[in-house]
Amino acid sequence: MTSSTTPGIARFNALEEAAATTALHEVCASSAWGRKLLSRRPYTTAEALYAASDAAMAELTADDLAEAMAGHPPIGRPKPGDPTSSREQAGMAGASEDLRTEMLELNLAYQDKFGHVFLICATGRTGEQMRDAVRDRIGNSPEQEREIVRTELGKINRIRLARLAERAELAEQAEEENA
């Protein structure tokens, strides 16, 4: 992105707090993360927004991470009617029934061990790559896995923030709320 404020960032900065909170909650379900990003507005660039996201992610407690993870469906089962969830998990869309069944079993084993869904930045990954990742990560300690999840959430947040920063709908929301 450029070093000047983009129209999308300007629109995000102009949102009323409630609308900005809602928009950020769609990016990440952690209320602590959202509050930290709100408190640092206005942003001059997308890079500044991403840096604030990274800093907020680094500060999240285990409970904050759990809240963020609760906003993510299991791999292979995107939220019905949620285009973001479907787009992010597109690598599983054409997966064989065997792979889907294996992912369900691995997801359940992972959840039994760690107490939360297997979380990975699925954008651009195939079903096989996601299966291999859960196989590799299920042997981690809870502490190792928490830090991997923090990193994966950060990647997901950056992708979602990029979309947020460019969404034309924000202009309409801001105009309606400021009218």
Side-chain angles (χ1 to χ4, degrees), residues 33-67:
W33 177 88
R35 283 191 305 272
K36 289 174 187 197
L37 265 67
L38 281 176
S39 72
R40 295 175 178 144
R41 281 196 308 170
Y43 295 97
T44 55
T45 64
E47 290 82 7
L49 180 60
Y50 303 151
S53 174
D54 293 346
M57 186 58 60
E59 296 170 5
L60 295 184
T61 66
D63 287 344
D64 296 332
L65 285 171
E67 181 184 25

PDB file of all heavy atoms in Angstrom, residues 33-67:
ATOM      1  N   TRP A  33      -8.767  -7.141  21.584  1.00  0.00           N
ATOM      2  CA  TRP A  33      -8.073  -6.764  20.346  1.00  0.00           C
ATOM      3  C   TRP A  33      -8.802  -5.593  19.696  1.00  0.00           C
ATOM      4  O   TRP A  33      -8.173  -4.606  19.304  1.00  0.00           O
ATOM      5  CB  TRP A  33      -8.008  -7.970  19.414  1.00  0.00           C
ATOM      6  CG  TRP A  33      -7.401  -7.713  18.084  1.00  0.00           C
ATOM      7  CD1 TRP A  33      -6.076  -7.789  17.760  1.00  0.00           C
ATOM      8  CD2 TRP A  33      -8.083  -7.352  16.880  1.00  0.00           C
ATOM      9  NE1 TRP A  33      -5.904  -7.491  16.429  1.00  0.00           N
ATOM     10  CE2 TRP A  33      -7.125  -7.227  15.876  1.00  0.00           C
ATOM     11  CE3 TRP A  33      -9.422  -7.132  16.570  1.00  0.00           C
ATOM     12  CZ2 TRP A  33      -7.455  -6.879  14.561  1.00  0.00           C
ATOM     13  CZ3 TRP A  33      -9.766  -6.783  15.272  1.00  0.00           C
ATOM     14  CH2 TRP A  33      -8.775  -6.660  14.288  1.00  0.00           C
ATOM     15  N   GLY A  34     -10.118  -5.691  19.593  1.00  0.00           N
ATOM     16  CA  GLY A  34     -10.893  -4.621  18.968  1.00  0.00           C
ATOM     17  C   GLY A  34     -10.755  -3.304  19.704  1.00  0.00           C
ATOM     18  O   GLY A  34     -10.580  -2.252  19.083  1.00  0.00           O
ATOM     19  N   ARG A  35     -10.826  -3.351  21.039  1.00  0.00           N
ATOM     20  CA  ARG A  35     -10.682  -2.118  21.832  1.00  0.00           C
ATOM     21  C   ARG A  35      -9.319  -1.473  21.598  1.00  0.00           C
ATOM     22  O   ARG A  35      -9.211  -0.251  21.493  1.00  0.00           O
ATOM     23  CB  ARG A  35     -10.873  -2.402  23.324  1.00  0.00           C
ATOM     24  CG  ARG A  35     -12.307  -2.575  23.744  1.00  0.00           C
ATOM     25  CD  ARG A  35     -12.470  -2.581  25.263  1.00  0.00           C
ATOM     26  NE  ARG A  35     -11.634  -3.579  25.921  1.00  0.00           N
ATOM     27  CZ  ARG A  35     -11.979  -4.840  26.139  1.00  0.00           C
ATOM     28  NH1 ARG A  35     -13.153  -5.284  25.732  1.00  0.00           N
ATOM     29  NH2 ARG A  35     -11.170  -5.667  26.771  1.00  0.00           N
ATOM     30  N   LYS A  36      -8.284  -2.299  21.523  1.00  0.00           N
ATOM     31  CA  LYS A  36      -6.937  -1.754  21.321  1.00  0.00           C
ATOM     32  C   LYS A  36      -6.825  -1.075  19.961  1.00  0.00           C
ATOM     33  O   LYS A  36      -6.218  -0.010  19.843  1.00  0.00           O
ATOM     34  CB  LYS A  36      -5.892  -2.847  21.484  1.00  0.00           C
ATOM     35  CG  LYS A  36      -5.763  -3.277  22.935  1.00  0.00           C
ATOM     36  CD  LYS A  36      -4.840  -4.449  23.131  1.00  0.00           C
ATOM     37  CE  LYS A  36      -4.936  -4.873  24.585  1.00  0.00           C
ATOM     38  NZ  LYS A  36      -3.895  -5.692  25.057  1.00  0.00           N
ATOM     39  N   LEU A  37      -7.425  -1.670  18.934  1.00  0.00           N
ATOM     40  CA  LEU A  37      -7.369  -1.047  17.617  1.00  0.00           C
ATOM     41  C   LEU A  37      -8.189   0.235  17.575  1.00  0.00           C
ATOM     42  O   LEU A  37      -7.760   1.226  16.976  1.00  0.00           O
ATOM     43  CB  LEU A  37      -7.820  -2.016  16.518  1.00  0.00           C
ATOM     44  CG  LEU A  37      -6.655  -2.750  15.867  1.00  0.00           C
ATOM     45  CD1 LEU A  37      -5.953  -3.705  16.793  1.00  0.00           C
ATOM     46  CD2 LEU A  37      -7.080  -3.420  14.596  1.00  0.00           C
ATOM     47  N   LEU A  38      -9.341   0.219  18.220  1.00  0.00           N
ATOM     48  CA  LEU A  38     -10.166   1.436  18.271  1.00  0.00           C
ATOM     49  C   LEU A  38      -9.429   2.569  18.970  1.00  0.00           C
ATOM     50  O   LEU A  38      -9.496   3.718  18.533  1.00  0.00           O
ATOM     51  CB  LEU A  38     -11.480   1.166  19.003  1.00  0.00           C
ATOM     52  CG  LEU A  38     -12.568   0.472  18.222  1.00  0.00           C
ATOM     53  CD1 LEU A  38     -13.763   0.199  19.125  1.00  0.00           C
ATOM     54  CD2 LEU A  38     -12.989   1.296  17.029  1.00  0.00           C
ATOM     55  N   SER A  39      -8.733   2.242  20.049  1.00  0.00           N
ATOM     56  CA  SER A  39      -8.069   3.283  20.844  1.00  0.00           C
ATOM     57  C   SER A  39      -6.921   3.947  20.086  1.00  0.00           C
ATOM     58  O   SER A  39      -6.489   5.033  20.474  1.00  0.00           O
ATOM     59  CB  SER A  39      -7.553   2.702  22.160  1.00  0.00           C
ATOM     60  OG  SER A  39      -6.427   1.874  21.939  1.00  0.00           O
ATOM     61  N   ARG A  40      -6.461   3.308  19.042  1.00  0.00           N
ATOM     62  CA  ARG A  40      -5.316   3.852  18.293  1.00  0.00           C
ATOM     63  C   ARG A  40      -5.730   4.590  17.018  1.00  0.00           C
ATOM     64  O   ARG A  40      -4.869   5.012  16.248  1.00  0.00           O
ATOM     65  CB  ARG A  40      -4.335   2.723  17.978  1.00  0.00           C
ATOM     66  CG  ARG A  40      -3.720   2.158  19.253  1.00  0.00           C
ATOM     67  CD  ARG A  40      -2.835   0.979  18.995  1.00  0.00           C
ATOM     68  NE  ARG A  40      -2.252   0.529  20.253  1.00  0.00           N
ATOM     69  CZ  ARG A  40      -2.017  -0.722  20.563  1.00  0.00           C
ATOM     70  NH1 ARG A  40      -2.298  -1.679  19.696  1.00  0.00           N
ATOM     71  NH2 ARG A  40      -1.500  -1.041  21.720  1.00  0.00           N
ATOM     72  N   ARG A  41      -7.029   4.721  16.779  1.00  0.00           N
ATOM     73  CA  ARG A  41      -7.480   5.487  15.617  1.00  0.00           C
ATOM     74  C   ARG A  41      -7.161   6.946  15.837  1.00  0.00           C
ATOM     75  O   ARG A  41      -7.154   7.403  16.972  1.00  0.00           O
ATOM     76  CB  ARG A  41      -8.997   5.336  15.411  1.00  0.00           C
ATOM     77  CG  ARG A  41      -9.392   4.064  14.756  1.00  0.00           C
ATOM     78  CD  ARG A  41     -10.796   4.063  14.205  1.00  0.00           C
ATOM     79  NE  ARG A  41     -11.835   4.469  15.149  1.00  0.00           N
ATOM     80  CZ  ARG A  41     -13.098   4.709  14.827  1.00  0.00           C
ATOM     81  NH1 ARG A  41     -13.507   4.568  13.593  1.00  0.00           N
ATOM     82  NH2 ARG A  41     -13.971   5.081  15.722  1.00  0.00           N
ATOM     83  N   PRO A  42      -6.945   7.717  14.801  1.00  0.00           N
ATOM     84  CA  PRO A  42      -7.015   7.380  13.379  1.00  0.00           C
ATOM     85  C   PRO A  42      -5.705   6.769  12.877  1.00  0.00           C
ATOM     86  O   PRO A  42      -4.632   7.011  13.437  1.00  0.00           O
ATOM     87  CB  PRO A  42      -7.260   8.727  12.713  1.00  0.00           C
ATOM     88  CG  PRO A  42      -6.546   9.709  13.589  1.00  0.00           C
ATOM     89  CD  PRO A  42      -6.707   9.159  15.002  1.00  0.00           C
ATOM     90  N   TYR A  43      -5.838   5.979  11.832  1.00  0.00           N
ATOM     91  CA  TYR A  43      -4.694   5.363  11.172  1.00  0.00           C
ATOM     92  C   TYR A  43      -4.375   6.155   9.909  1.00  0.00           C
ATOM     93  O   TYR A  43      -5.278   6.625   9.219  1.00  0.00           O
ATOM     94  CB  TYR A  43      -4.988   3.901  10.826  1.00  0.00           C
ATOM     95  CG  TYR A  43      -5.173   3.065  12.068  1.00  0.00           C
ATOM     96  CD1 TYR A  43      -6.429   2.787  12.580  1.00  0.00           C
ATOM     97  CD2 TYR A  43      -4.062   2.600  12.765  1.00  0.00           C
ATOM     98  CE1 TYR A  43      -6.590   2.046  13.735  1.00  0.00           C
ATOM     99  CE2 TYR A  43      -4.214   1.856  13.936  1.00  0.00           C
ATOM    100  CZ  TYR A  43      -5.482   1.587  14.400  1.00  0.00           C
ATOM    101  OH  TYR A  43      -5.620   0.865  15.555  1.00  0.00           O
ATOM    102  N   THR A  44      -3.091   6.292   9.641  1.00  0.00           N
ATOM    103  CA  THR A  44      -2.690   7.031   8.448  1.00  0.00           C
ATOM    104  C   THR A  44      -2.491   6.123   7.246  1.00  0.00           C
ATOM    105  O   THR A  44      -2.610   6.565   6.116  1.00  0.00           O
ATOM    106  CB  THR A  44      -1.393   7.827   8.709  1.00  0.00           C
ATOM    107  OG1 THR A  44      -0.393   6.916   9.169  1.00  0.00           O
ATOM    108  CG2 THR A  44      -1.620   8.913   9.747  1.00  0.00           C
ATOM    109  N   THR A  45      -2.183   4.854   7.515  1.00  0.00           N
ATOM    110  CA  THR A  45      -1.948   3.896   6.433  1.00  0.00           C
ATOM    111  C   THR A  45      -2.456   2.516   6.843  1.00  0.00           C
ATOM    112  O   THR A  45      -2.662   2.253   8.032  1.00  0.00           O
ATOM    113  CB  THR A  45      -0.437   3.752   6.114  1.00  0.00           C
ATOM    114  OG1 THR A  45       0.214   3.215   7.270  1.00  0.00           O
ATOM    115  CG2 THR A  45       0.203   5.074   5.713  1.00  0.00           C
ATOM    116  N   ALA A  46      -2.605   1.659   5.859  1.00  0.00           N
ATOM    117  CA  ALA A  46      -2.954   0.270   6.154  1.00  0.00           C
ATOM    118  C   ALA A  46      -1.837  -0.373   6.974  1.00  0.00           C
ATOM    119  O   ALA A  46      -2.108  -1.160   7.887  1.00  0.00           O
ATOM    120  CB  ALA A  46      -3.196  -0.502   4.860  1.00  0.00           C
ATOM    121  N   GLU A  47      -0.585  -0.028   6.674  1.00  0.00           N
ATOM    122  CA  GLU A  47       0.537  -0.593   7.429  1.00  0.00           C
ATOM    123  C   GLU A  47       0.443  -0.240   8.908  1.00  0.00           C
ATOM    124  O   GLU A  47       0.756  -1.064   9.780  1.00  0.00           O
ATOM    125  CB  GLU A  47       1.881  -0.123   6.853  1.00  0.00           C
ATOM    126  CG  GLU A  47       2.220  -0.701   5.495  1.00  0.00           C
ATOM    127  CD  GLU A  47       1.557   0.030   4.324  1.00  0.00           C
ATOM    128  OE1 GLU A  47       0.924   1.099   4.549  1.00  0.00           O
ATOM    129  OE2 GLU A  47       1.645  -0.477   3.199  1.00  0.00           O
ATOM    130  N   ALA A  48       0.005   0.977   9.213  1.00  0.00           N
ATOM    131  CA  ALA A  48      -0.155   1.388  10.609  1.00  0.00           C
ATOM    132  C   ALA A  48      -1.266   0.571  11.277  1.00  0.00           C
ATOM    133  O   ALA A  48      -1.139   0.170  12.440  1.00  0.00           O
ATOM    134  CB  ALA A  48      -0.464   2.879  10.690  1.00  0.00           C
ATOM    135  N   LEU A  49      -2.333   0.297  10.537  1.00  0.00           N
ATOM    136  CA  LEU A  49      -3.422  -0.535  11.058  1.00  0.00           C
ATOM    137  C   LEU A  49      -2.924  -1.959  11.311  1.00  0.00           C
ATOM    138  O   LEU A  49      -3.205  -2.544  12.356  1.00  0.00           O
ATOM    139  CB  LEU A  49      -4.584  -0.538  10.063  1.00  0.00           C
ATOM    140  CG  LEU A  49      -5.817  -1.362  10.423  1.00  0.00           C
ATOM    141  CD1 LEU A  49      -6.460  -0.885  11.722  1.00  0.00           C
ATOM    142  CD2 LEU A  49      -6.822  -1.315   9.277  1.00  0.00           C
ATOM    143  N   TYR A  50      -2.149  -2.517  10.377  1.00  0.00           N
ATOM    144  CA  TYR A  50      -1.604  -3.871  10.546  1.00  0.00           C
ATOM    145  C   TYR A  50      -0.650  -3.925  11.736  1.00  0.00           C
ATOM    146  O   TYR A  50      -0.669  -4.887  12.513  1.00  0.00           O
ATOM    147  CB  TYR A  50      -0.854  -4.342   9.301  1.00  0.00           C
ATOM    148  CG  TYR A  50      -1.659  -4.325   8.024  1.00  0.00           C
ATOM    149  CD1 TYR A  50      -1.024  -4.143   6.812  1.00  0.00           C
ATOM    150  CD2 TYR A  50      -3.040  -4.480   8.014  1.00  0.00           C
ATOM    151  CE1 TYR A  50      -1.741  -4.129   5.625  1.00  0.00           C
ATOM    152  CE2 TYR A  50      -3.755  -4.459   6.836  1.00  0.00           C
ATOM    153  CZ  TYR A  50      -3.108  -4.282   5.643  1.00  0.00           C
ATOM    154  OH  TYR A  50      -3.814  -4.260   4.471  1.00  0.00           O
ATOM    155  N   ALA A  51       0.171  -2.900  11.894  1.00  0.00           N
ATOM    156  CA  ALA A  51       1.117  -2.865  13.017  1.00  0.00           C
ATOM    157  C   ALA A  51       0.361  -2.802  14.340  1.00  0.00           C
ATOM    158  O   ALA A  51       0.737  -3.474  15.314  1.00  0.00           O
ATOM    159  CB  ALA A  51       2.074  -1.680  12.876  1.00  0.00           C
ATOM    160  N   ALA A  52      -0.713  -2.022  14.384  1.00  0.00           N
ATOM    161  CA  ALA A  52      -1.524  -1.953  15.602  1.00  0.00           C
ATOM    162  C   ALA A  52      -2.168  -3.311  15.884  1.00  0.00           C
ATOM    163  O   ALA A  52      -2.229  -3.743  17.041  1.00  0.00           O
ATOM    164  CB  ALA A  52      -2.598  -0.873  15.464  1.00  0.00           C
ATOM    165  N   SER A  53      -2.606  -3.986  14.840  1.00  0.00           N
ATOM    166  CA  SER A  53      -3.186  -5.322  15.002  1.00  0.00           C
ATOM    167  C   SER A  53      -2.151  -6.284  15.560  1.00  0.00           C
ATOM    168  O   SER A  53      -2.448  -7.040  16.492  1.00  0.00           O
ATOM    169  CB  SER A  53      -3.715  -5.842  13.661  1.00  0.00           C
ATOM    170  OG  SER A  53      -4.144  -7.180  13.773  1.00  0.00           O
ATOM    171  N   ASP A  54      -0.959  -6.266  14.991  1.00  0.00           N
ATOM    172  CA  ASP A  54       0.109  -7.156  15.465  1.00  0.00           C
ATOM    173  C   ASP A  54       0.447  -6.885  16.929  1.00  0.00           C
ATOM    174  O   ASP A  54       0.618  -7.816  17.722  1.00  0.00           O
ATOM    175  CB  ASP A  54       1.363  -7.003  14.603  1.00  0.00           C
ATOM    176  CG  ASP A  54       1.178  -7.493  13.175  1.00  0.00           C
ATOM    177  OD1 ASP A  54       0.183  -8.197  12.883  1.00  0.00           O
ATOM    178  OD2 ASP A  54       2.043  -7.151  12.334  1.00  0.00           O
ATOM    179  N   ALA A  55       0.525  -5.606  17.289  1.00  0.00           N
ATOM    180  CA  ALA A  55       0.839  -5.244  18.678  1.00  0.00           C
ATOM    181  C   ALA A  55      -0.282  -5.694  19.617  1.00  0.00           C
ATOM    182  O   ALA A  55      -0.015  -6.238  20.694  1.00  0.00           O
ATOM    183  CB  ALA A  55       1.059  -3.733  18.789  1.00  0.00           C
ATOM    184  N   ALA A  56      -1.525  -5.487  19.208  1.00  0.00           N
ATOM    185  CA  ALA A  56      -2.655  -5.910  20.034  1.00  0.00           C
ATOM    186  C   ALA A  56      -2.682  -7.428  20.170  1.00  0.00           C
ATOM    187  O   ALA A  56      -2.949  -7.956  21.255  1.00  0.00           O
ATOM    188  CB  ALA A  56      -3.965  -5.398  19.438  1.00  0.00           C
ATOM    189  N   MET A  57      -2.382  -8.134  19.086  1.00  0.00           N
ATOM    190  CA  MET A  57      -2.369  -9.602  19.131  1.00  0.00           C
ATOM    191  C   MET A  57      -1.302 -10.092  20.104  1.00  0.00           C
ATOM    192  O   MET A  57      -1.539 -11.027  20.871  1.00  0.00           O
ATOM    193  CB  MET A  57      -2.110 -10.150  17.720  1.00  0.00           C
ATOM    194  CG  MET A  57      -2.202 -11.651  17.604  1.00  0.00           C
ATOM    195  SD  MET A  57      -3.770 -12.392  18.108  1.00  0.00           S
ATOM    196  CE  MET A  57      -4.906 -11.601  17.005  1.00  0.00           C
ATOM    197  N   ALA A  58      -0.156  -9.458  20.120  1.00  0.00           N
ATOM    198  CA  ALA A  58       0.934  -9.860  21.009  1.00  0.00           C
ATOM    199  C   ALA A  58       0.558  -9.684  22.479  1.00  0.00           C
ATOM    200  O   ALA A  58       1.091 -10.385  23.342  1.00  0.00           O
ATOM    201  CB  ALA A  58       2.198  -9.065  20.685  1.00  0.00           C
ATOM    202  N   GLU A  59      -0.359  -8.768  22.772  1.00  0.00           N
ATOM    203  CA  GLU A  59      -0.748  -8.467  24.148  1.00  0.00           C
ATOM    204  C   GLU A  59      -1.919  -9.299  24.652  1.00  0.00           C
ATOM    205  O   GLU A  59      -2.277  -9.210  25.829  1.00  0.00           O
ATOM    206  CB  GLU A  59      -1.115  -6.979  24.251  1.00  0.00           C
ATOM    207  CG  GLU A  59       0.043  -6.050  23.964  1.00  0.00           C
ATOM    208  CD  GLU A  59      -0.398  -4.589  23.833  1.00  0.00           C
ATOM    209  OE1 GLU A  59      -1.589  -4.283  24.057  1.00  0.00           O
ATOM    210  OE2 GLU A  59       0.453  -3.761  23.499  1.00  0.00           O
ATOM    211  N   LEU A  60      -2.541 -10.092  23.785  1.00  0.00           N
ATOM    212  CA  LEU A  60      -3.725 -10.840  24.210  1.00  0.00           C
ATOM    213  C   LEU A  60      -3.376 -11.906  25.236  1.00  0.00           C
ATOM    214  O   LEU A  60      -2.382 -12.613  25.109  1.00  0.00           O
ATOM    215  CB  LEU A  60      -4.421 -11.492  23.009  1.00  0.00           C
ATOM    216  CG  LEU A  60      -5.036 -10.555  21.979  1.00  0.00           C
ATOM    217  CD1 LEU A  60      -5.762 -11.364  20.912  1.00  0.00           C
ATOM    218  CD2 LEU A  60      -5.964  -9.539  22.617  1.00  0.00           C
ATOM    219  N   THR A  61      -4.237 -12.025  26.228  1.00  0.00           N
ATOM    220  CA  THR A  61      -4.098 -13.067  27.247  1.00  0.00           C
ATOM    221  C   THR A  61      -4.635 -14.381  26.680  1.00  0.00           C
ATOM    222  O   THR A  61      -5.242 -14.410  25.600  1.00  0.00           O
ATOM    223  CB  THR A  61      -4.915 -12.693  28.494  1.00  0.00           C
ATOM    224  OG1 THR A  61      -6.301 -12.708  28.139  1.00  0.00           O
ATOM    225  CG2 THR A  61      -4.504 -11.337  29.051  1.00  0.00           C
ATOM    226  N   ALA A  62      -4.463 -15.451  27.434  1.00  0.00           N
ATOM    227  CA  ALA A  62      -5.002 -16.747  27.023  1.00  0.00           C
ATOM    228  C   ALA A  62      -6.528 -16.660  26.882  1.00  0.00           C
ATOM    229  O   ALA A  62      -7.097 -17.226  25.939  1.00  0.00           O
ATOM    230  CB  ALA A  62      -4.614 -17.824  28.032  1.00  0.00           C
ATOM    231  N   ASP A  63      -7.203 -15.941  27.782  1.00  0.00           N
ATOM    232  CA  ASP A  63      -8.659 -15.780  27.688  1.00  0.00           C
ATOM    233  C   ASP A  63      -9.047 -14.979  26.448  1.00  0.00           C
ATOM    234  O   ASP A  63     -10.038 -15.296  25.787  1.00  0.00           O
ATOM    235  CB  ASP A  63      -9.224 -15.108  28.939  1.00  0.00           C
ATOM    236  CG  ASP A  63      -9.232 -16.030  30.148  1.00  0.00           C
ATOM    237  OD1 ASP A  63      -9.102 -17.264  29.979  1.00  0.00           O
ATOM    238  OD2 ASP A  63      -9.364 -15.503  31.267  1.00  0.00           O
ATOM    239  N   ASP A  64      -8.268 -13.939  26.130  1.00  0.00           N
ATOM    240  CA  ASP A  64      -8.532 -13.147  24.929  1.00  0.00           C
ATOM    241  C   ASP A  64      -8.367 -13.998  23.674  1.00  0.00           C
ATOM    242  O   ASP A  64      -9.157 -13.883  22.731  1.00  0.00           O
ATOM    243  CB  ASP A  64      -7.576 -11.946  24.837  1.00  0.00           C
ATOM    244  CG  ASP A  64      -7.744 -10.945  25.968  1.00  0.00           C
ATOM    245  OD1 ASP A  64      -8.853 -10.834  26.524  1.00  0.00           O
ATOM    246  OD2 ASP A  64      -6.739 -10.282  26.294  1.00  0.00           O
ATOM    247  N   LEU A  65      -7.333 -14.839  23.657  1.00  0.00           N
ATOM    248  CA  LEU A  65      -7.129 -15.738  22.518  1.00  0.00           C
ATOM    249  C   LEU A  65      -8.288 -16.721  22.390  1.00  0.00           C
ATOM    250  O   LEU A  65      -8.751 -17.005  21.280  1.00  0.00           O
ATOM    251  CB  LEU A  65      -5.805 -16.493  22.650  1.00  0.00           C
ATOM    252  CG  LEU A  65      -4.542 -15.702  22.362  1.00  0.00           C
ATOM    253  CD1 LEU A  65      -3.308 -16.515  22.744  1.00  0.00           C
ATOM    254  CD2 LEU A  65      -4.475 -15.284  20.905  1.00  0.00           C
ATOM    255  N   ALA A  66      -8.762 -17.223  23.522  1.00  0.00           N
ATOM    256  CA  ALA A  66      -9.900 -18.144  23.496  1.00  0.00           C
ATOM    257  C   ALA A  66     -11.134 -17.456  22.914  1.00  0.00           C
ATOM    258  O   ALA A  66     -11.867 -18.050  22.117  1.00  0.00           O
ATOM    259  CB  ALA A  66     -10.191 -18.670  24.898  1.00  0.00           C
ATOM    260  N   GLU A  67     -11.346 -16.205  23.286  1.00  0.00           N
ATOM    261  CA  GLU A  67     -12.473 -15.455  22.744  1.00  0.00           C
ATOM    262  C   GLU A  67     -12.308 -15.274  21.232  1.00  0.00           C
ATOM    263  O   GLU A  67     -13.274 -15.426  20.476  1.00  0.00           O
ATOM    264  CB  GLU A  67     -12.571 -14.088  23.430  1.00  0.00           C
ATOM    265  CG  GLU A  67     -13.735 -13.249  22.945  1.00  0.00           C
ATOM    266  CD  GLU A  67     -13.770 -11.860  23.562  1.00  0.00           C
ATOM    267  OE1 GLU A  67     -12.708 -11.347  23.989  1.00  0.00           O
ATOM    268  OE2 GLU A  67     -14.877 -11.288  23.607  1.00  0.00           O
TER     269      GLU A  67
END
